[in-house]
Structure formats: C-alpha cells, structure tokens
Amino acid sequence: MTRIGVWSIGARGSVATTAVLGALAVRAGAVEPIGCVTERPEFAAAGLPGIGDLVFGGHDLHGTHLAKGAEPLAGAGAVPPRLTEMFAEELGAVDRRIREGVETPAAGFSRRHVDSLERDLREFAEAESLERVVVVDLSGTEPPPAPAPELTGPGRLEEALDAGNARIPASSAYAYAALRAGCSFVEFTPNAGPRPPALSALAERLGLPWAGSDGKTGETLVKSALAPMFATRALRVRSWSSTNLLGGGDGRTLADPGSNDSKTSSKARGLEHLLGHPVDGPLHIDYVPDLGGTKVAWDHVSFEGFLGARMSLQFTWSGHDSALAAPLILDLARLTAHAHRTGRVGPVPELGFFFKDPAGGGPHGLAEQWRALTAWCSDDRGGLR
C-alpha cells in the first residue's frame, strides 16, 4: 500500500486539525468527502493516492492537543461533534508525531535550525515507511520579506546559514528543510515559502515540485468565477470594493499591518489578472474576535454597460474557514504527491486552481484553471509545462 506523508507547518491550527479529522472520518466511511475536488470522476484516471493513504505529522510552536483543539471547531459547527470523540485515539496518534517548530531568530536562521527541521522530516518518513512526503505551510501570514542577498541564490543562502545570520522568513526556512529532505512543498498561505529565487532554484536543482500560493477558499473563489464573466461580456468594471471580517487565529494574525499587506496584495493581484486591467476599490481585512473561525466578505462591484449605463453587483459570503480550507489540503497533498511521482519539477501551474496568487503562470479564471487541472490529471502530457 502506498503511504504518503502530509507534514503541516502549523499542525495544531484549526485548518490542519480539520483536515486530519476529516481524513480520518472519510477513511472510516463516517462522512462523505464533500468539498474534496480530487474525489470527482475527472481524477479517477490519475492514480492519485487515496485519502486513506495519507499519514499526518507536522511542526508547531505551541497549541493544544489535536483532540482538544477540535472541540471549539465542533462547538462552532465547523465539524460534527460526534467525530471528535469517535476519532480521539487516532488524533492522539497524529499529535504524537508533531514536533516543535522554530521561531525566527533575531540574528537570523543558522544551519542548526534548518538541520533540526530536516531531521524531523527524515525521521517521520522513515518511521512511517512513507513513499514520499508533502509539506504544507498552514502557518500564520508573515510580512513580506525585506530584500536580502541570501534570498537571491542557493549559494548565498548556504553561506548565510553557515554563518548563522540568514535573514529569511520562517516559511522559507521550512521550505529549505523540506526540499533538502526530498519533500515537495505546498505554500497555502501568502508567505514567501519557496518563491524567493534561492528556494525556487534549489527546488529545480533537487528535482522537486511545489505549489502555491495563498489558498483560494472564500471571497476570491467567487471573484475568480465572476470576474471573467465581466471580461468576456465586455462589461467595464469601474471599481471592486471588498470588506473581509475574520475571527480566529488568521484574523488575529492579519491585525498586524505587515501581515495584512501580504494578504491584501495577494488578493489584489488576482483580480487585476482576471479583469485584464487595474481596478479601483479598497480592500479591507478586519479582525472581529466574536466571529471565531467564521469569515465574512462583502463585495460591491460597479460596472459600466452599453452606452455608458452604470450598474452594480453586490454579494455576501460567509463560511467556516477551516471547513473550506481542509478539503483543499487533502486535494493538494494528493496532487502534489502525484506531481512528484510523475517527475514534475518547480512550480506546478496546473494547481493554480487552488490559489489566489498562483505560481508558475497559467490562467487565473476559475473555469480555465479547472480545464488545465483536469487535463493534466487525465493525461500528464496535457499539462501547462
């Protein structure tokens, strides 16, 4: 039986916890795999690893036991309460595989830090007899990294790590360790991860695939379906204003202006690509603790039609962030493992279907992204290489 490791950065967070609990429940036949794209018939021919073949572990800085962490998710309605008791033992087994991560050192990352992360990954793969491991970044959103020589090429990065002063974001330190351990990587946040030239070149050199960035789970998912409608009908969008309200850990992180800038920039780039031109309109992300794990978005679109007629569209989106993201983690783990098995190297553009700011080029409209993804999985030669 093929066993694929899924190693989460932020392994005790709500998204990782929901993904693990969901995978256990699907494997046991306790729930249907609703929201799991890879369970659709279009992917049957790809020979993807099954959800039941996934083995979970991860890094985290802190957090409660997975079974305990699932309780507030159940209380908020994001997961069925019966599942937390039904799979308490299995959640305990996963929790015992979680290792302590690293915080960004004031002086910068050293060889000791990344070697420790790499060692955890290698020990996980060996202990669980895994065919391959996919590392998924589910950590908090970081501010954009400041320019630094060590981000420009693998050689300079290696020198800075040896000197103990590598000024790289934590997400890139985790990506470095993952690549050195022979793991593929998924950047599910707006973080830098493997995007800087030093990391992307290392992935190419080691022959490893990666995907990212910033999972498309809510408002931007709607935008990626609606914006092409305006473009293809030759309707001129004059402004697109958005307000996002978030609770929980993600909202708390985005209350920091630097982290907020990373998120809003990622969302804005996607809309410009979809419409084919810059568009006016503020984009706000506000932290509302009372919402917990729920996220709410309100959008107002002003557009112009024939003879200059002014019109508008408004929509509201509300959903449980962890329940929206968790099935995509399972999809991306299976698809990235498939990319690794079939010899893909570097960013995999076909996986842009899942991201706000897709790496590797390719279309931004949801329908076009869907066609690219399913064409790749029905015949790998049909990919966007």
Side-chain angles (χ1 to χ4, degrees):
M1 181 179 70
T2 300
R3 287 165 59 85
I4 301 297
V6 183
W7 188 269
S8 300
I9 312 304
R12 291 193 174 104
S14 58
V15 173
T17 301
T18 306
V20 171
L21 183 59
L24 294 171
V26 169
R27 182 177 65 186
V31 298
E32 295 181 57
I34 297 172
C36 291
V37 171
T38 46
E39 288 295 290
R40 288 177 56 96
E42 291 90 339
F43 298 88
L48 302 179
I51 292 176
D53 299 329
L54 304 179
V55 182
F56 296 89
H59 281 117
D60 211 323
L61 295 173
H62 46 69
T64 58
H65 186 286
L66 285 179
K68 192 70 176 176
E71 291 176 4
L73 293 169
V79 302
R82 62 187 174 87
L83 298 183
T84 60
E85 293 184 9
M86 186 181 302
F87 297 101
E89 185 176 340
E90 290 90 338
L91 287 172
V94 175
D95 196 82
R96 288 190 290 274
R97 299 189 200 113
I98 297 174
R99 300 292 177 260
E100 186 175 355
V102 295
E103 295 189 79
T104 304
F109 283 95
S110 71
R111 178 71 58 192
R112 173 176 57 85
H113 296 116
V114 293
D115 282 354
S116 173
L117 299 175
E118 180 183 343
R119 184 166 55 251
D120 290 339
L121 287 164
R122 291 187 181 278
E123 289 176 354
F124 172 59
E126 182 178 355
E128 300 299 326
S129 301
L130 303 174
E131 181 176 306
R132 55 184 54 87
V133 176
V134 181
V135 177
V136 185
D137 183 12
L138 299 174
S139 63
T141 300
E142 302 167 333
E150 48 266 51
L151 290 172
T152 61
R156 289 191 168 186
L157 175 56
E158 300 291 355
E159 290 172 2
L161 288 170
D162 288 337
N165 59 2
R167 294 164 296 171
I168 61 176
S171 61
S172 294
Y174 282 109
Y176 173 89
L179 295 171
R180 287 290 298 264
C183 307
S184 51
F185 197 91
V186 175
E187 185 50 76
F188 199 73
T189 79
N191 295 340
R195 273 187 182 265
L199 280 303
S200 58
L202 181 63
E204 293 278 350
R205 192 176 77 195
L206 296 176
L208 293 165
W210 60 274
S213 60
D214 200 2
K216 183 163 58 181
T217 60
E219 178 208 26
T220 308
L221 176 65
V222 181
K223 283 181 175 179
S224 67
L226 285 179
M229 173 192 73
F230 289 103
T232 55
R233 288 297 300 269
L235 298 169
R236 181 180 302 157
V237 174
R238 299 177 61 91
S239 65
W240 195 312
S241 306
S242 307
T243 296
N244 293 250
L245 308 178
L246 299 175
D250 198 25
R252 188 164 51 250
T253 299
L254 292 173
D256 172 71
S259 299
N260 196 300
D261 286 347
S262 290
K263 191 76 168 181
T264 55
S265 297
S266 173
K267 292 165 77 72
R269 280 193 296 272
L271 183 59
E272 183 175 331
H273 278 290
L274 287 163
L275 293 172
H277 60 84
V279 62
D280 291 331
L283 171 59
H284 294 293
I285 300 177
D286 297 315
Y287 176 41
V288 183
D290 178 62
L291 291 177
T294 301
K295 62 181 179 182
V296 177
W298 172 74
D299 281 46
H300 181 278
V301 186
S302 171
F303 65 97
E304 183 179 329
F306 193 52
L307 305 180
R310 296 290 294 272
M311 295 167 274
S312 67
L313 165 72
Q314 298 181 50
F315 69 84
T316 303
W317 171 279
S318 178
H320 292 291
D321 191 40
S322 58
L324 290 165
L328 304 189
I329 303 308
L330 305 181
D331 287 332
L332 283 163
R334 300 172 73 189
L335 290 164
T336 308
H338 172 66
H340 193 177
R341 178 176 62 83
T342 55
R344 297 298 296 270
V345 176
V348 183
E350 293 87 353
L351 297 181
F353 176 78
F354 297 95
F355 297 105
K356 298 181 182 73
D357 188 17
H364 282 71
L366 193 66
E368 292 85 358
Q369 289 177 330
W370 174 251
R371 285 194 290 271
L373 175 63
T374 53
W376 169 50
C377 285
S378 62
D379 181 353
D380 192 55
R381 291 170 298 176
L384 295 169
R385 288 188 265 181

mmCIF file of all heavy atoms in Angstrom, residues 203-225:
data_model
loop_
_atom_site.group_PDB
_atom_site.id
_atom_site.type_symbol
_atom_site.label_atom_id
_atom_site.label_comp_id
_atom_site.label_asym_id
_atom_site.label_seq_id
_atom_site.Cartn_x
_atom_site.Cartn_y
_atom_site.Cartn_z
ATOM 1 N N ALA A 203 14.761 24.068 -5.488
ATOM 2 C CA ALA A 203 13.775 23.066 -5.893
ATOM 3 C C ALA A 203 14.093 22.519 -7.280
ATOM 4 O O ALA A 203 13.999 21.304 -7.526
ATOM 5 C CB ALA A 203 12.372 23.666 -5.860
ATOM 6 N N GLU A 204 14.474 23.393 -8.190
ATOM 7 C CA GLU A 204 14.836 22.964 -9.544
ATOM 8 C C GLU A 204 16.051 22.037 -9.505
ATOM 9 O O GLU A 204 16.080 20.994 -10.159
ATOM 10 C CB GLU A 204 15.141 24.186 -10.415
ATOM 11 C CG GLU A 204 13.948 25.085 -10.704
ATOM 12 C CD GLU A 204 13.089 24.569 -11.835
ATOM 13 O OE1 GLU A 204 13.511 23.622 -12.527
ATOM 14 O OE2 GLU A 204 11.992 25.114 -12.025
ATOM 15 N N ARG A 205 17.048 22.433 -8.721
ATOM 16 C CA ARG A 205 18.279 21.652 -8.649
ATOM 17 C C ARG A 205 18.043 20.261 -8.059
ATOM 18 O O ARG A 205 18.644 19.276 -8.500
ATOM 19 C CB ARG A 205 19.316 22.404 -7.816
ATOM 20 C CG ARG A 205 20.715 21.817 -7.906
ATOM 21 C CD ARG A 205 21.697 22.670 -7.135
ATOM 22 N NE ARG A 205 21.592 22.443 -5.694
ATOM 23 C CZ ARG A 205 22.126 23.241 -4.775
ATOM 24 N NH1 ARG A 205 22.765 24.331 -5.138
ATOM 25 N NH2 ARG A 205 22.004 22.951 -3.496
ATOM 26 N N LEU A 206 17.150 20.184 -7.092
ATOM 27 C CA LEU A 206 16.872 18.905 -6.439
ATOM 28 C C LEU A 206 15.771 18.107 -7.135
ATOM 29 O O LEU A 206 15.450 16.993 -6.719
ATOM 30 C CB LEU A 206 16.503 19.145 -4.969
ATOM 31 C CG LEU A 206 17.619 19.756 -4.102
ATOM 32 C CD1 LEU A 206 17.104 20.034 -2.700
ATOM 33 C CD2 LEU A 206 18.833 18.841 -4.056
ATOM 34 N N GLY A 207 15.166 18.686 -8.182
ATOM 35 C CA GLY A 207 14.154 17.966 -8.951
ATOM 36 C C GLY A 207 12.846 17.767 -8.206
ATOM 37 O O GLY A 207 12.231 16.702 -8.310
ATOM 38 N N LEU A 208 12.396 18.820 -7.482
ATOM 39 C CA LEU A 208 11.198 18.694 -6.659
ATOM 40 C C LEU A 208 10.123 19.691 -7.078
ATOM 41 O O LEU A 208 10.419 20.831 -7.441
ATOM 42 C CB LEU A 208 11.552 18.932 -5.184
ATOM 43 C CG LEU A 208 12.448 17.861 -4.552
ATOM 44 C CD1 LEU A 208 13.033 18.370 -3.247
ATOM 45 C CD2 LEU A 208 11.640 16.582 -4.324
ATOM 46 N N PRO A 209 8.843 19.284 -7.013
ATOM 47 C CA PRO A 209 7.750 20.202 -7.340
ATOM 48 C C PRO A 209 7.268 20.965 -6.114
ATOM 49 O O PRO A 209 7.442 20.523 -4.974
ATOM 50 C CB PRO A 209 6.654 19.255 -7.841
ATOM 51 C CG PRO A 209 6.860 18.013 -7.020
ATOM 52 C CD PRO A 209 8.357 17.909 -6.781
ATOM 53 N N TRP A 210 6.649 22.121 -6.370
ATOM 54 C CA TRP A 210 5.996 22.861 -5.297
ATOM 55 C C TRP A 210 4.793 23.604 -5.870
ATOM 56 O O TRP A 210 4.674 23.792 -7.076
ATOM 57 C CB TRP A 210 6.960 23.809 -4.585
ATOM 58 C CG TRP A 210 7.604 24.881 -5.414
ATOM 59 C CD1 TRP A 210 8.739 24.787 -6.155
ATOM 60 C CD2 TRP A 210 7.138 26.235 -5.574
ATOM 61 N NE1 TRP A 210 9.032 25.979 -6.764
ATOM 62 C CE2 TRP A 210 8.068 26.894 -6.422
ATOM 63 C CE3 TRP A 210 6.056 26.958 -5.081
ATOM 64 C CZ2 TRP A 210 7.932 28.234 -6.788
ATOM 65 C CZ3 TRP A 210 5.917 28.302 -5.439
ATOM 66 C CH2 TRP A 210 6.848 28.922 -6.275
ATOM 67 N N ALA A 211 3.895 24.004 -4.978
ATOM 68 C CA ALA A 211 2.662 24.669 -5.397
ATOM 69 C C ALA A 211 2.380 25.838 -4.463
ATOM 70 O O ALA A 211 2.770 25.839 -3.297
ATOM 71 C CB ALA A 211 1.489 23.683 -5.370
ATOM 72 N N GLY A 212 1.691 26.833 -4.963
ATOM 73 C CA GLY A 212 1.314 27.987 -4.140
ATOM 74 C C GLY A 212 0.856 29.136 -5.038
ATOM 75 O O GLY A 212 0.905 29.014 -6.267
ATOM 76 N N SER A 213 0.448 30.225 -4.456
ATOM 77 C CA SER A 213 0.361 30.412 -3.009
ATOM 78 C C SER A 213 -0.952 31.107 -2.665
ATOM 79 O O SER A 213 -1.597 31.701 -3.529
ATOM 80 C CB SER A 213 1.546 31.258 -2.507
ATOM 81 O OG SER A 213 1.555 32.529 -3.126
ATOM 82 N N ASP A 214 -1.304 30.979 -1.369
ATOM 83 C CA ASP A 214 -2.478 31.579 -0.747
ATOM 84 C C ASP A 214 -3.761 30.889 -1.206
ATOM 85 O O ASP A 214 -4.358 31.249 -2.220
ATOM 86 C CB ASP A 214 -2.538 33.087 -1.033
ATOM 87 C CG ASP A 214 -3.431 33.823 -0.039
ATOM 88 O OD1 ASP A 214 -3.964 33.178 0.888
ATOM 89 O OD2 ASP A 214 -3.589 35.048 -0.192
ATOM 90 N N GLY A 215 -4.181 29.905 -0.439
ATOM 91 C CA GLY A 215 -5.339 29.101 -0.802
ATOM 92 C C GLY A 215 -6.589 29.918 -1.088
ATOM 93 O O GLY A 215 -6.915 30.856 -0.361
ATOM 94 N N LYS A 216 -7.274 29.546 -2.137
ATOM 95 C CA LYS A 216 -8.472 30.271 -2.613
ATOM 96 C C LYS A 216 -9.701 29.557 -2.053
ATOM 97 O O LYS A 216 -10.177 28.586 -2.628
ATOM 98 C CB LYS A 216 -8.452 30.282 -4.137
ATOM 99 C CG LYS A 216 -9.572 31.057 -4.790
ATOM 100 C CD LYS A 216 -9.251 31.364 -6.244
ATOM 101 C CE LYS A 216 -8.996 30.116 -7.076
ATOM 102 N NZ LYS A 216 -8.655 30.435 -8.473
ATOM 103 N N THR A 217 -10.226 30.057 -0.934
ATOM 104 C CA THR A 217 -11.280 29.324 -0.231
ATOM 105 C C THR A 217 -12.605 30.059 -0.120
ATOM 106 O O THR A 217 -13.624 29.423 0.126
ATOM 107 C CB THR A 217 -10.824 28.984 1.201
ATOM 108 O OG1 THR A 217 -10.552 30.207 1.901
ATOM 109 C CG2 THR A 217 -9.588 28.108 1.199
ATOM 110 N N GLY A 218 -12.624 31.362 -0.259
ATOM 111 C CA GLY A 218 -13.842 32.109 0.023
ATOM 112 C C GLY A 218 -14.157 33.167 -1.005
ATOM 113 O O GLY A 218 -14.514 32.881 -2.149
ATOM 114 N N GLU A 219 -13.985 34.422 -0.608
ATOM 115 C CA GLU A 219 -14.346 35.542 -1.470
ATOM 116 C C GLU A 219 -13.611 35.501 -2.809
ATOM 117 O O GLU A 219 -14.203 35.739 -3.867
ATOM 118 C CB GLU A 219 -14.030 36.855 -0.743
ATOM 119 C CG GLU A 219 -14.320 38.095 -1.563
ATOM 120 C CD GLU A 219 -13.435 39.256 -1.160
ATOM 121 O OE1 GLU A 219 -12.327 39.019 -0.639
ATOM 122 O OE2 GLU A 219 -13.855 40.391 -1.396
ATOM 123 N N THR A 220 -12.311 35.180 -2.781
ATOM 124 C CA THR A 220 -11.553 35.168 -4.032
ATOM 125 C C THR A 220 -12.000 34.037 -4.942
ATOM 126 O O THR A 220 -11.902 34.152 -6.170
ATOM 127 C CB THR A 220 -10.042 35.061 -3.730
ATOM 128 O OG1 THR A 220 -9.681 36.070 -2.799
ATOM 129 C CG2 THR A 220 -9.231 35.243 -5.000
ATOM 130 N N LEU A 221 -12.495 32.959 -4.369
ATOM 131 C CA LEU A 221 -13.078 31.888 -5.186
ATOM 132 C C LEU A 221 -14.251 32.433 -5.997
ATOM 133 O O LEU A 221 -14.380 32.160 -7.198
ATOM 134 C CB LEU A 221 -13.533 30.739 -4.281
ATOM 135 C CG LEU A 221 -14.255 29.575 -4.956
ATOM 136 C CD1 LEU A 221 -13.328 28.843 -5.907
ATOM 137 C CD2 LEU A 221 -14.807 28.616 -3.899
ATOM 138 N N VAL A 222 -15.106 33.224 -5.341
ATOM 139 C CA VAL A 222 -16.239 33.835 -6.038
ATOM 140 C C VAL A 222 -15.747 34.810 -7.096
ATOM 141 O O VAL A 222 -16.240 34.841 -8.228
ATOM 142 C CB VAL A 222 -17.179 34.537 -5.035
ATOM 143 C CG1 VAL A 222 -18.368 35.159 -5.758
ATOM 144 C CG2 VAL A 222 -17.669 33.564 -3.966
ATOM 145 N N LYS A 223 -14.748 35.617 -6.741
ATOM 146 C CA LYS A 223 -14.198 36.576 -7.700
ATOM 147 C C LYS A 223 -13.663 35.873 -8.948
ATOM 148 O O LYS A 223 -13.842 36.364 -10.075
ATOM 149 C CB LYS A 223 -13.061 37.376 -7.061
ATOM 150 C CG LYS A 223 -13.505 38.478 -6.114
ATOM 151 C CD LYS A 223 -12.280 39.211 -5.583
ATOM 152 C CE LYS A 223 -12.670 40.395 -4.716
ATOM 153 N NZ LYS A 223 -11.476 41.085 -4.175
ATOM 154 N N SER A 224 -12.975 34.743 -8.762
ATOM 155 C CA SER A 224 -12.358 34.065 -9.901
ATOM 156 C C SER A 224 -13.400 33.454 -10.834
ATOM 157 O O SER A 224 -13.088 33.126 -11.982
ATOM 158 C CB SER A 224 -11.377 32.991 -9.421
ATOM 159 O OG SER A 224 -12.052 31.939 -8.770
ATOM 160 N N ALA A 225 -14.630 33.301 -10.346
ATOM 161 C CA ALA A 225 -15.712 32.852 -11.219
ATOM 162 C C ALA A 225 -16.452 34.028 -11.836
ATOM 163 O O ALA A 225 -16.852 33.975 -13.010
ATOM 164 C CB ALA A 225 -16.682 31.980 -10.428
#
